[in-house]
Amino acid sequence: LVSIPQNGSSFAPNLIKREQISNRASHQQCNSAAALRRRCDHEHVCLLTCAAAAQDGVHESIEDFEADYSVSLSDGAIIDFEDSSTTEKPAARRDRQHQKKSKKKSSAPEFYGLAHKAITDPACAEKAEDLLNKLIQNSEHSSSPASFLPSVRSFSSVILAYANAGQPKKAEEVLKTMIQYSRTQSHRSDDDELKCKPNTIIFTTVINAWSKSEKRGAAERADKILAWMEQMSEAGFDNVAPNSVTYATVIHAWATTGGEKAAMRAEELLERMEELRSQGVSHDVKPDRVAFTSVICAWARSKVPHAIDRCEYILDRMIELAKEGNDDVRPNQKTFNSVMSAYVKNNVPNCAASAERLLNRMEMIGATDDEAKPDTVSFNICINAWSRSDDEAAAQYAQSLLDRMETRYDEGDLRVKPNDRSYNSVISAWVRSNRQSSLENAGAVLSRMIEASKKGNKDALPNVISFSTVMDAWAKSKEPGKAKKAQEILYKMIVQCKGGNKNLKPNTISYNTVINACAFSRDSSEEEREEALLIAVATFNELRTSEFCQPDAISYGMVLKAFNNLASKSEKRNDMSQRLFRQCCKDGLVGDLFLNEIKRSLPGDMLRVLLKEGDASWDKGNFKLPRSWTRNVRDKRSKEAKKKKRKPENLSDSTETDQMGTRKNVPQISIVVGGTKGGDLLGTSF
């Protein structure tokens, strides 16, 4: 082990190390003991490189480092490098160990844990490389002890650190450095650890780093490294011959790329693996389930007309090979799910029916093979396919699949535990259907979802999507009382959220949906219109004081639309519209929808007078507005503001909140319709 200087100088010459030399080894020749020491040193140098990087230079020397983290990493004797042939008598060694252990307990696991943390911590990668470079510089001195030369583990630790940090290019650079360094170490002893020859695992680590990278050209880079390995292997370097994991990793890289070219290359590599296996060229290369499934995923993402044919062919090929006795390629849940997903992603005609047929096939095969039994993902893919289908009975089919899931889960099959996606997809299917009872059925599924979560299925907890889908369906329907129904659903969301379901935090869209339902209730009875107007005003006021969200430009536009659609023209409506306009300008939320509605609400001469208050104008249908009026708008009028990524300003000059997070001192809208009052923003009644 080495001292870690803080001034960037080379390693201190006075060095110590720890090693465990058994009584038998102590009686052997000195060169055998030295070989044992080197093996211990290389492992410890590797760990120290990463662990010291993790400590960020806290310890000035290895003595301090050992004092904090280990009395003796291997419970062995301390031997000075200047006298490498010195051995200690067993009695003296035991006394030394006893004295040190009495001072502090050995904490070798903590040391190794710190080293592992460094290898998986992106922040340590560069520091680990700096220490590695110092080892390389140290090797230039011929008198350097063997334990202070880089080893395979030293390089592999840094490569792994960069790979885990998501920096494949840096990992590849360290690999190239390793290859260059190994060429200068051919004169070393027979110890391959000192020669630093890269092996298959190190190459595969770099390929895996590229495979997981989202950088452009990552798959091509991984493929080139594979070709590099094949060339070196053919030249006689057997230690870098690609194996099954190597090929599967490159296939995965192409699978995540997308496109027909990527899918074709992935399948070519799979065929290459089968060819190598059949010819007996390499016993380390054997196509397995992972490689086959990755190729299926590659075709699923290609979105070409014949993608489904290729997916089905590969699946049939796997089943055929499994029947011949090759259990390594036996398809499992993920394999079948990938094919079902391909049906949906590629918009195959009758994709929902095709996916369900494959689901039924899974259940047949699963009767004798547990790994092929359908799971929650399998059912969700089929339900989602039906929810997007134009089939008249799509909602019933989706509901039937959900019923099967619930029944099997109640019987104890945890594989098919329904989750929020299961229920949300069925809700969506009912909403898309044009059946008379679709809204009631969607609401019933939402109620079942709530009930399932109360019974202990936490995966079925409703979220904003669950409630918003039903709420939006009511808002867009022509059903009587839709405004009241949408408001009830919003209140259920708030109650569930305050009851502990943080997935149900209402957002601005939730409130806007209720206001939208009110605004489009103008074809209802007079009594219902009055109720809808009150609901619109109450919802807008609740949004302005909500602890969850704030109004946006759509909120102002929608509430003004509700006034225009539900209240007859009058001086009092004009007065209220002007007050709402001034508040909207103050909040910086004058958007297109609000401008369209204010033109409907106010006479032209009155609107022009109102605009002059803020040095705005309206000429030939075009508005010229000050920037302060639109500063918080997030629509097409604020594209320039989006590019500058400006943060929204406060919607009110007074945004003080109470202990519950509700904003106080926010003005309220007040109207009186049919003798009923609500709010007090504008102080106006109809």
Side-chain angles (χ1 to χ4, degrees), residues 179 182-183 186 192 195-201 203 226-243 282 284:
I179 294 174
S182 66
R183 292 171 180 169
S186 58
D192 290 336
K195 293 181 179 179
C196 292
K197 292 182 178 180
N199 53 40
T200 302
I201 296 176
F203 271 92
L226 173 63
W228 187 11
M229 293 179 69
E230 290 178 332
Q231 293 173 2
M232 293 180 66
S233 177
E234 292 174 358
F237 296 94
D238 295 334
N239 59 316
V240 296
N243 56 21
S282 174
D284 293 331

Side-chain angles (χ1 to χ4, degrees), residues 48 178 242 265 277 379 412 418 427 541 578 598 615 628:
L48 177 63
M178 183 180 185
R265 179 55 182 161
R277 183 62 177 174
F379 276 91
I427 290 173
N541 286 334
Q578 292 179 64
I598 200 68
D615 295 329
S628 61

